Amino acid sequence: MYNLLHELNVSLGDRSYPIMIGEGMLGAYDLSGYVGGSQVMIVTNDVVGPLYLEQARACFPGKSVDTVVLPDGEKHKDWQTLNLIFDALLEKRHTRKTTLVALGGGVVGDMTGFAAACYQRGVPFIQIPTTLLSQVDSSVGGKTGINHPLGKNMVGAFHQPEAVLIDTDTLQTLPPREVSAGLAEIIKYGLIRDKDFLGWLELVIDKLVTLDRKALAEAIFRSCACKADVVAQDERENGLRATLNLGHTFGHAIETYAGYGNWLHGEAVGTGMIMAADLSAREGSITQADYDRILRLVNRACLPDLPPADMTAADFMNLMAVDKKNVDGRLRLVLLRSVGDAVVTSDPSPENLAATLKSFCRHER
Ligand code: NAD
Ligand code: GLY
């Protein structure tokens, strides 16, 4: 038996879809109603597959279920690995009525979604996220894609899933570093949109680090509600949605510099949020006490607060120059207007930006 704790809706007209959050969902919750045809292709990887593939198959009674197992890791979020999905679909003769299912973290989710956006010019897909980060962020909102050696997530498409099934039990097998990575994105929602949520996180962060089930389910629900609200208002990131990228411009630079997979995405976002908070303080929109509060919370989530030791300000500037938010060669950054409110800005003072980079790049202090 499963225990459905929360159900949310991502409101996008005829492309709206539900997010189901609960315990014991894998293997018990019937998803076949979200599958239009008779064929299903579950995409997973060689870490998640042995843990959850058989249970996931059981979510599609009456359907013909095939599976493809990808190599694990961010370093495989590329064309070569994407092709393994197309190979499997074509070898098993999947038609344009097929439904893809992403079973895994954000890497599997982003690649499966992109494969679904491209296969036979677009087929439906379902998200079954199994990491904290993917449950609170990447499975919702329809951003899909792969990395390019010159930049993160540079090749992709918007393609919304038919449904998102979150089984919080899967988090119990997640390594602690991955839990912290997910907490970075959860903290982000508090910082950009919800001061009360941030206050609640300060009370329960130790419980979240140690995988307390009740606290986790609440944090996932509130995070998904926040993301669903933003996506419903600005699906294609013409404005508001960009605020979900707090810390990501600095963070993507760190991830690319370190080599994909060496820093976890959430770890880089954690450090990036501290850097964005530092710059926001220099710009005068938050106080030093606000900055200290944010640093303390990120530290309590066991996230790093400094970039790689050998990374220079010039490395940051070069890597941030390819950020997707940039317009006409101008760097755009998400900064805090206050704690609980974010803004996308194209004009942080160059002196303040240089000062932030100098204070975080250990070579240059
Ligand atoms: P991930 O997918 O690499 O998963 C982390 C690790 O945990 C992997 O080794 C994975 O195999 C393993 N794993 C997954 N579930 C597990 C479980 N239940 N138990 C044990 N191990 C498990 O990383 P992630 O943090 O989930 O996702 C990061 C990716 O998501 C990045 O590529 C990032 O760009 C992307 N992302 C996308 C969006 C979006 O909107 N599409 C948003 C945020 C991040
Ligand atoms: N993770 C940022 C977004 O989905 O827009």
Side-chain angles (χ1 to χ4, degrees):
M1 254 326 270
Y2 61 81
N3 182 16
L4 180 63
L5 298 167
H6 303 283
E7 188 160 356
L8 286 159
N9 184 50
V10 183
S11 248
L12 289 168
D14 59 3
R15 289 174 300 107
S16 299
Y17 53 93
I19 305 172
M20 282 80 68
I21 304 169
E23 297 164 344
M25 307 288 272
L26 268 182
Y29 196 87
D30 184 350
L31 283 168
S32 53
Y34 297 99
V35 176
S38 61
Q39 293 173 305
V40 170
M41 175 66 78
I42 302 181
V43 183
T44 187
N45 70 27
D46 52 18
V47 170
V48 178
L51 294 169
Y52 300 114
L53 186 52
E54 279 319 302
Q55 291 174 58
R57 290 178 77 102
C59 293
F60 300 96
K63 302 293 174 184
S64 161
V65 181
D66 290 308
T67 60
V68 55
V69 180
L70 308 178
D72 176 48
E74 185 77 36
K75 63 179 183 298
H76 295 293
K77 192 178 170 184
D78 57 12
W79 278 116
Q80 212 180 336
T81 311
L82 186 73
N83 249 330
L84 298 176
I85 306 177
F86 299 132
D87 292 348
L89 287 164
L90 289 165
E91 278 162 14
K92 303 278 184 184
R93 304 206 186 291
H94 279 246
T95 69
R96 57 164 62 150
K97 293 273 181 220
T98 190
T99 296
L100 272 57
V101 176
L103 174 70
V107 170
V108 166
D110 281 11
M111 281 201 294
T112 306
F114 189 37
C118 302
Y119 186 65
Q120 304 210 3
R121 301 199 181 88
V123 297
F125 82 115
I126 292 170
Q127 288 273 16
I128 306 184
T130 61
T131 62
L132 185 57
L133 184 139
S134 58
Q135 294 185 353
V136 299
D137 188 355
S138 62
S139 62
V140 176
K143 280 191 183 174
T144 73
I146 56 172
N147 298 328
H148 185 279
L150 296 181
K152 258 239 8 128
N153 296 333
M154 280 295 157
V155 181
F158 282 98
H159 190 52
Q160 301 291 345
E162 300 299 303
V164 181
L165 181 75
I166 297 178
D167 185 337
T168 57
D169 289 349
T170 60
L171 300 177
Q172 299 298 323
T173 53
L174 205 58
R177 244 182 104 188
E178 302 290 349
V179 175
S180 293
L183 291 175
E185 302 283 8
I186 293 175
I187 292 169
K188 173 191 80 179
Y189 293 118
L191 288 174
I192 63 171
R193 271 179 87 72
D194 193 341
K195 205 175 168 179
D196 290 346
F197 184 41
L198 194 76
W200 179 79
L201 287 173
E202 288 173 319
L203 295 177
V204 301
I205 192 75
D206 304 335
K207 288 186 177 177
L208 293 171
V209 168
T210 53
L211 293 175
D212 176 273
R213 286 172 186 271
K214 195 160 170 260
L216 273 176
E218 180 70 16
I220 293 166
F221 167 63
R222 291 178 75 164
S223 299
C224 286
C226 184
K227 178 127 188 205
D229 181 40
V230 170
V231 169
Q233 290 184 56
D234 180 22
E235 181 185 8
R236 294 278 171 146
E237 198 169 307
N238 293 314
L240 178 67
R241 186 165 179 171
T243 60
L244 293 174
N245 284 317
L246 177 72
H248 285 56
T249 309
F250 295 113
H252 283 167
I254 293 172
E255 275 186 277
T256 307
Y257 179 84
Y260 298 134
N262 291 322
W263 271 58
L264 302 182
H265 175 71
E267 291 175 332
V269 167
T271 299
M273 287 193 301
I274 297 296
M275 297 177 75
D278 179 278
L279 182 51
S280 306
R282 289 177 198 276
E283 296 271 300
S285 50
I286 64 168
T287 63
Q288 182 63 35
D290 291 331
Y291 171 80
D292 292 341
R293 178 181 174 196
I294 296 166
L295 178 63
R296 216 163 28 246
L297 186 59
V298 168
N299 285 153
R300 285 176 66 203
C302 308
L303 288 159
D305 56 18
L306 284 171
D310 53 355
M311 201 169 170
T312 63
D315 293 326
F316 269 104
M317 290 308 285
N318 283 335
L319 290 164
M320 294 195 303
V322 297
D323 192 88
K324 288 195 287 303
K325 284 185 298 308
N326 297 347
V327 177
D328 296 335
R330 289 184 75 185
L331 184 63
R332 292 171 84 229
L333 287 167
V334 183
L335 296 181
L336 293 173
R337 202 152 34 191
S338 65
V339 173
D341 187 17
V343 63
V344 183
T345 172
S346 37
D347 48 12
S349 105
E351 293 75 26
N352 286 338
L353 178 58
T356 292
L357 293 177
K358 186 159 185 250
S359 77
F360 280 83
C361 294
R362 280 162 271 185
H363 268 342
E364 299 172 33
R365 281 177 177 173

